[in-house]
Amino acid sequence: MSPKKILAATLALSLAAASAAHAEDGFNYRFSGFGTVGYAATDTDDVLFTNPGQLKGARQNGSGLVDSRLGGQLDLSFTPALSATVQAIAMQNAEGKSMPQVQWAFLRYKVSDSVAVRLGRLSLPAYLVSDYRYVGYANPWVRAPLEVYNLASLDSYEGADVVWSHGVGDGFLSAQVLAGHVSSPMPYDSEHTSRVKSNQLTGAYLTYEIGSLRVRGGLSTSKVTYLSEGTNALFDGLRQAGFGQTADAFEPDNARTTFSSVGATWDADNILLTGEYAQLRSGSKMIGRATGWYGTFGYRLGKWMPYFTYAGYDRDDQRARNDVPPYGPLIPLSMGLDQLAAGNSQHTASLGLKVDLRSNVAFKAQVDHVRPSRHGGTFSAVAPGFDGSAVNVYSAVVDFVF
């Protein structure tokens, strides 16, 4: 279902519920907003620096498109049990345009004091900060570490979830189970038809909060299909050349794919500690297996908080599964398969500073020293002959909420 249809359906149901609730004087609403004005630049033109799902990014000449965004959220309460939420964000998409996108549009029904059911377009709770990833003011970094947050770049899904919440010991435990599907465009210069689909999506996540500690972990699994003119042509060529089994092994066509993660944050007094570990596993050799992790330490000095992050990413090399000999007319097929199957890795040391300018405005500056493999790590548009030299990324943002 398209974002416009989801938004229209949610608003129609919301208005109907609002009319009934208004008659009982039980209706109220709340609007809130958030945004980021940012600038990023690198010290090389050999790679392109982007956030997941973006077409345009930063090189030496810099860009304001990578981190800048503006979002708004409308929360509607019809009765003590029934509510709705719609969130839209204007930020750069897979076509390089900063158009508003519906992130959330769902109805929530509270079955009991501890159980709630939601239906519509929902946040995929795959990460520690999934619920507020794009609310820059709520996060310590300029952006969530890409070594982890680039593994599964899908932010939301269409379906339903059930959330059970209850006090456990001195803390609070939430258990969430979900089901649905998602279809998302992928950024490519030469074509606008690339898309990744996740069908039969299911997942389960636990979140536990006690004092200054918050922990979240879980997994989701789905059947992933990757649609692209370039890869489709490669796999068709392999089958015509008699390498059908190889094409089947690499092509993501309803390939069972699982993403698991665990993360924690300790935020007390002057000290902030946070980190995550995530794994991506797929039956498709093109998607393959990848892991990512990071750890952040911050120390508050009044309104100032310097912080340090160290992160890593590694994708397994699947080229040994390429049984297409690089000879004669098979050379393009073999080279294309090698490009899809090549391993990749990256390690990043980041030093940053967050300054609370006002109660709702923060300034952040961050320098990332990135050591990617020669395949570019999380960078895109890697220049031919790139040797894996270190890349420095310089970023500055102003985050705000209202």
Side-chain angles (χ1 to χ4, degrees):
M1 185 181 293
S2 70
K4 290 183 179 179
K5 291 182 179 178
I6 293 171
L7 180 58
T10 303
L11 288 177
L13 291 172
S14 298
L15 290 172
S19 299
H22 189 65
E24 301 176 1
D25 295 326
F27 174 73
N28 60 74
Y29 67 92
R30 178 179 180 272
F31 178 80
S32 58
F34 55 90
T36 296
V37 178
Y39 184 81
T42 71
D43 62 354
T44 179
D45 287 332
D46 288 338
V47 295
L48 183 69
F49 178 72
T50 63
N51 272 317
Q54 293 183 339
L55 175 64
K56 300 177 182 178
R59 299 185 192 270
Q60 282 184 301
N61 57 358
S63 173
L65 294 174
V66 177
D67 297 303
S68 297
R69 66 184 72 93
L70 181 64
Q73 180 172 318
L74 180 63
D75 295 294
L76 306 170
S77 179
F78 312 119
T79 71
L82 181 64
S83 61
T85 295
V86 177
Q87 184 188 95
I89 305 178
M91 58 184 177
Q92 187 196 163
N93 59 22
E95 295 182 358
K97 301 176 182 178
S98 295
M99 301 295 293
Q101 306 169 51
V102 178
Q103 291 291 109
W104 305 343
F106 61 84
L107 291 170
R108 179 179 183 269
Y109 184 73
K110 194 173 182 180
V111 179
S112 67
D113 289 341
S114 57
V115 178
V117 179
R118 301 188 302 174
L119 176 66
R121 172 166 287 188
L122 300 158
S123 170
L124 184 64
Y127 296 111
L128 185 63
V129 301
S130 289
D131 299 335
Y132 47 90
R133 175 178 178 179
Y134 295 113
V135 184
Y137 184 81
N139 294 306
W141 332 272
V142 166
R143 67 190 67 86
L146 299 182
E147 287 77 6
V148 170
Y149 283 73
N150 203 45
L151 288 178
S153 58
L154 301 176
D155 298 317
S156 57
Y157 70 98
E158 293 156 22
D161 69 4
V162 178
V163 181
W164 173 86
S165 303
H166 201 274
V168 175
D170 294 329
F172 198 75
L173 177 67
S174 295
Q176 180 178 3
V177 293
L178 61 91
H181 65 93
V182 60
S183 177
S184 178
M186 300 294 289
Y188 278 94
D189 285 313
S190 59
E191 52 182 287
H192 298 293
T193 58
S194 299
R195 181 169 290 272
V196 58
K197 295 184 177 181
S198 294
N199 295 317
Q200 299 180 29
L201 170 67
T202 57
Y205 291 87
L206 294 175
T207 303
Y208 186 62
E209 299 181 61
I210 179 170
S212 302
L213 178 65
R214 179 175 183 265
V215 181
R216 171 179 279 183
L219 62 84
S220 55
T221 182
S222 65
K223 291 188 175 182
V224 174
T225 297
Y226 184 81
L227 304 173
S228 166
E229 293 178 3
T231 56
N232 289 347
L234 173 62
F235 296 132
D236 288 345
L238 288 170
R239 292 187 174 95
Q240 292 173 8
F243 294 94
Q245 290 186 341
T246 302
D248 292 341
F250 279 88
E251 184 177 20
D253 184 10
N254 281 322
R256 175 60 65 183
T257 302
T258 300
F259 181 81
S260 58
S261 62
V262 61
T265 295
W266 171 270
D267 191 352
D269 299 323
N270 296 340
I271 297 175
L272 170 70
L273 294 171
T274 185
E276 279 183 271
Y277 178 83
Q279 291 184 336
L280 179 69
R281 297 287 184 268
S282 178
S284 162
K285 302 307 177 185
M286 175 180 156
I287 299 174
R289 299 175 295 178
T291 59
W293 54 267
Y294 72 85
T296 296
F297 169 76
Y299 191 82
R300 292 186 179 87
L301 300 166
K303 296 182 178 181
W304 300 64
M305 188 184 74
Y307 60 90
F308 174 77
T309 299
Y310 192 65
Y313 158 76
D314 183 74
R315 180 180 183 271
D316 287 356
D317 195 323
Q318 300 285 343
R319 286 178 295 181
R321 308 294 181 91
N322 179 5
D323 58 358
V324 182
Y327 303 121
L330 296 178
I331 290 178
L333 295 177
S334 182
M335 291 180 62
L337 205 55
D338 269 353
Q339 186 176 3
L340 292 181
N344 209 346
S345 64
Q346 175 174 301
H347 287 86
T348 302
S350 302
L351 185 63
L353 176 67
K354 178 182 179 182
V355 184
D356 292 321
L357 302 178
R358 299 181 62 180
S359 60
N360 63 335
V361 182
F363 169 79
K364 298 173 192 170
Q366 182 172 309
V367 178
D368 304 310
H369 182 70
V370 188
R371 292 178 293 130
S373 70
R374 64 185 183 88
H375 297 291
T378 63
F379 294 103
S380 60
V382 181
F386 178 68
D387 60 359
S389 300
V391 178
N392 292 314
V393 181
Y394 310 99
S395 308
V397 301
V398 174
D399 296 317
F400 55 90
V401 294
F402 58 92

